[in-house]
Amino acid sequence: MNFFVIKKRHLCLILCAILLLVGLGTYFGLTAQAYQPNLSPTVVIDAGHGGRDGGAVGRKTGVTESQINLQYAQTLKEILQSFGVNVVMTRTDLNGLYSPFAANKKKDDMQKRKQIIDESGADLVVSVHMNAFPRSSTRGAQAFYAMENSSGAELAQSVQKQLQNVSQYAHSVAKQGDYYILNCTSLPGVLVEFGFLSNAEEESLLIESTYRQSMCEAVAMGILNFYQM
Ligand SMILES: [Zn+2]
């Protein structure tokens, strides 16, 4: 009888020890997982305009900004993905994001883009645009950031620096800009105006695939440097 009690006590101790070990293992396993650094950032790439909103128009070829933006967005996506970056696109075809029944299609389109950013769990946003200006001599790529978004300013400057390596006409500093796509989120964001479709020479460059590749590589490098990857 006495012997049996001791054996039962031993059994209890062994069971408690097993439970404790399993418990500690699970705890430390989960903790280690939870504190793993985010090695694969997520970037939202927003191809500006689309559908009935073509954006700027090429003075020489009549190409629409919305078409070129999509090509640049897709090239940028491929480059970033090759570096292990997760990419979420706001649009993947020539259509706008607005509902055909929306009374204010531009507003609806922009709100849909905001919704995609909000639901993406992304680390930053890049919006792709082409510029235009009445004076045809104006040219040069420029990166913009939202007011009071210091990390956005840092990101935009990192991108601007890389654009300068590709184009001698690229501006030397990123600029603050009042854009909904940047203002609608607290994430660091950069809106890149890759060049002016109102400048004949720059328009010819912008529609070239090799120039597109170089400019998108520059933007990708700017993003990766911002992450210090
Ligand atoms: Zn635009």
Side-chain angles (χ1 to χ4, degrees):
M1 188 73 176
N2 212 15
F3 177 71
F4 175 73
V5 169
I6 290 164
K7 263 191 88 176
K8 209 174 154 187
R9 247 185 225 158
H10 279 170
L11 195 69
C12 266
L13 280 172
I14 290 164
L15 274 174
C16 284
I18 290 169
L19 284 171
L20 186 70
L21 285 171
V22 169
L24 284 173
T26 310
Y27 173 77
F28 283 115
L30 287 176
T31 310
Q33 263 181 1
Y35 284 106
Q36 252 180 15
N38 182 14
L39 296 173
S40 303
T42 300
V43 172
V44 172
I45 302 179
D46 170 57
H49 310 277
R52 53 188 274 152
D53 172 20
V57 178
R59 190 166 287 187
K60 205 164 72 172
T61 64
V63 68
T64 60
E65 183 195 343
S66 61
Q67 276 177 281
I68 307 183
N69 289 349
L70 184 61
Q71 289 177 339
Y72 274 67
Q74 281 165 339
T75 301
L76 180 60
K77 177 191 172 189
E78 284 161 21
I79 297 167
L80 284 174
Q81 282 180 333
S82 73
F83 283 95
V85 174
N86 304 309
V87 173
V88 174
M89 305 280 278
T90 56
R91 71 176 170 98
T92 52
D93 58 33
L94 293 170
N95 298 316
L97 277 76
Y98 51 83
S99 154
F101 310 107
N104 186 334
K105 293 188 172 53
K106 183 67 185 171
K107 194 177 169 191
D108 192 45
D109 180 89
M110 295 310 290
Q111 281 173 345
K112 294 264 168 57
R113 290 170 202 256
K114 173 182 164 40
Q115 197 183 335
I116 291 170
I117 293 168
D118 289 346
E119 291 170 0
S120 66
D123 299 279
L124 65 86
V125 179
V126 187
S127 189
V128 175
H129 286 261
M130 306 291 147
N131 224 334
F133 196 65
R135 193 172 59 228
S136 64
S137 59
T138 304
R139 64 184 296 180
Q142 189 154 36
F144 291 87
Y145 56 89
M147 191 171 62
E148 289 173 7
N149 190 326
S150 56
S151 52
E154 200 184 313
L155 167 66
Q157 193 50 45
S158 178
V159 167
Q160 190 70 58
K161 194 178 156 196
Q162 296 299 320
L163 289 169
Q164 275 187 287
N165 293 336
V166 179
S167 169
Q168 63 175 115
Y169 296 99
H171 292 235
S172 55
V173 287
K175 201 177 168 189
Q176 190 177 292
D178 186 19
Y179 296 101
Y180 176 84
I181 202 78
L182 299 178
N183 297 338
C184 75
T185 176
S186 58
L187 292 174
V190 56
L191 184 145
V192 185
E193 294 278 7
F194 281 88
F196 285 78
L197 290 175
S198 46
N199 178 282
E201 211 177 307
E202 203 156 61
E203 179 188 355
S204 300
L205 280 172
L206 287 166
I207 57 178
E208 245 181 46
S209 62
T210 48
Y211 188 75
R212 180 174 75 233
Q213 183 70 25
S214 304
M215 292 295 267
C216 289
E217 278 172 5
V219 172
M221 284 308 121
I223 291 168
L224 296 174
N225 285 345
F226 174 73
Y227 271 112
Q228 297 181 320
M229 277 175 79

